[in-house]
């Protein structure tokens, strides 16, 4: 056993694993640091949705239905658009913008999809229940916050597309 084999054995690493590592190292040296930053490839969008457990499967089904399976980054904040822009949640705001920045740097996302939903607990926490008077007033409340969200994205990233959506509890989705 030569010295490198001893090192591999001590690291618990197979020769094959070492070869992969060596190839990666050579690639890193060849392409430099900036290419490594983009090594994550390309995603078609960043999705911001609420954390509500009732709709997680519907959200995934909706994205799959659009052919976006494994092609989007996903940030989850209670309230979705509200979590990103409400001054009630400054730490959440910062978390969202930080993640959007990373999604752009790592995966060159060209679009943000914000998916609010009806009967959202975060909206009730911030606004009370007045906006739930009718399906229209509830939609208007989401449209206003999503409008603020779109403006903030446009101000920070003028070339980014933004799509606002509102999901009902049956999983149906309307544009907002
Ligand atoms: Zn919610």
């Amino acid at each position: 056993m030569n010295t490198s084999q001893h090192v591999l054995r001590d690291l618990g690493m197979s020769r094959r694993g070492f070869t992969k590592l060596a190839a990666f190292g050579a690639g890193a040296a060849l392409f430099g640091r900036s290419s490594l930053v983009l090594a994550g490839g390309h995603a078609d969008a960043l999705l911001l949705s609420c954390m509500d457990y009732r709709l997680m499967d519907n959200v995934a089904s909706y994205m799959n239905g659009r052919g976006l399976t494994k092609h989007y980054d996903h940030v989850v904040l209670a309230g979705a658009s509200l979590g990103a822009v409400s001054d009630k949640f400054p730490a959440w705001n910062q978390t969202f913008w930080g993640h959007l920045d990373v999604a752009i740097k790592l995966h060159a996302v060209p679009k943000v999809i914000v998916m609010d939903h009806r009967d959202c607990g975060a909206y009730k926490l911030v606004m009370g229940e007045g906006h739930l008077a009718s399906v229209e007033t509830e939609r208007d409340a989401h449209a206003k916050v999503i409008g603020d969200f779109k403006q903030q994205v446009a101000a920070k990233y003028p070339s980014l597309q933004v799509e606002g959506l509102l999901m009902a509890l049956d999983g149906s989705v309307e544009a907002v």
Side-chain angles (χ1 to χ4, degrees):
M1 199 178 269
N2 63 32
T3 306
S4 68
Q5 284 170 327
H6 278 291
V7 170
L8 290 176
R9 186 201 59 198
D10 292 342
L11 289 171
M13 191 180 276
S14 70
R15 172 162 291 281
R16 190 171 169 193
F18 176 77
T19 305
K20 277 187 190 164
L21 187 68
F24 177 77
L30 191 63
F31 295 112
R33 190 180 176 83
S34 61
S35 293
L36 274 183
V37 170
L38 290 171
H42 174 84
D44 292 337
L46 177 135
L47 171 68
L48 170 63
S49 78
C50 183
M51 69 176 190
D52 195 309
Y53 67 95
R54 296 172 295 177
L55 293 169
M56 280 301 173
D57 55 342
N58 301 93
V59 170
S61 295
Y62 173 80
M63 297 300 280
N64 294 345
R66 286 182 57 167
L68 290 169
T69 308
K70 293 185 187 286
H71 288 289
Y72 63 96
D73 291 328
H74 192 177
V75 174
V76 173
L77 289 176
S81 63
L82 193 66
V85 303
S86 170
D87 58 14
K88 297 273 200 306
F89 310 120
W92 301 7
N93 303 168
Q94 197 180 353
T95 295
F96 173 72
W97 298 112
H99 279 71
L100 176 56
D101 199 51
V102 169
I104 292 167
K105 286 194 172 103
L106 288 183
H107 304 148
V109 294
K111 178 193 273 196
V112 179
I113 300 172
V114 59
M115 169 85 81
D116 278 18
H117 71 92
R118 291 187 181 273
D119 195 42
C120 182
Y123 268 75
K124 291 181 202 171
L125 274 178
V126 171
M127 299 183 179
E129 302 204 355
H131 68 288
L132 300 174
S134 71
V135 291
E136 289 80 18
T137 57
E138 185 179 24
R139 186 185 188 283
D140 290 347
H142 286 274
K144 181 174 185 318
V145 178
I146 288 175
D148 291 346
F149 177 85
K150 287 178 176 175
Q151 280 187 356
Q152 290 195 27
V153 173
K156 290 179 168 70
Y157 304 98
S159 63
L160 212 56
Q161 302 169 55
V162 191
E163 190 179 332
L165 301 171
L166 180 63
M167 180 175 273
L169 292 183
D170 65 1
S172 62
V173 173
E174 61 184 309
V176 172

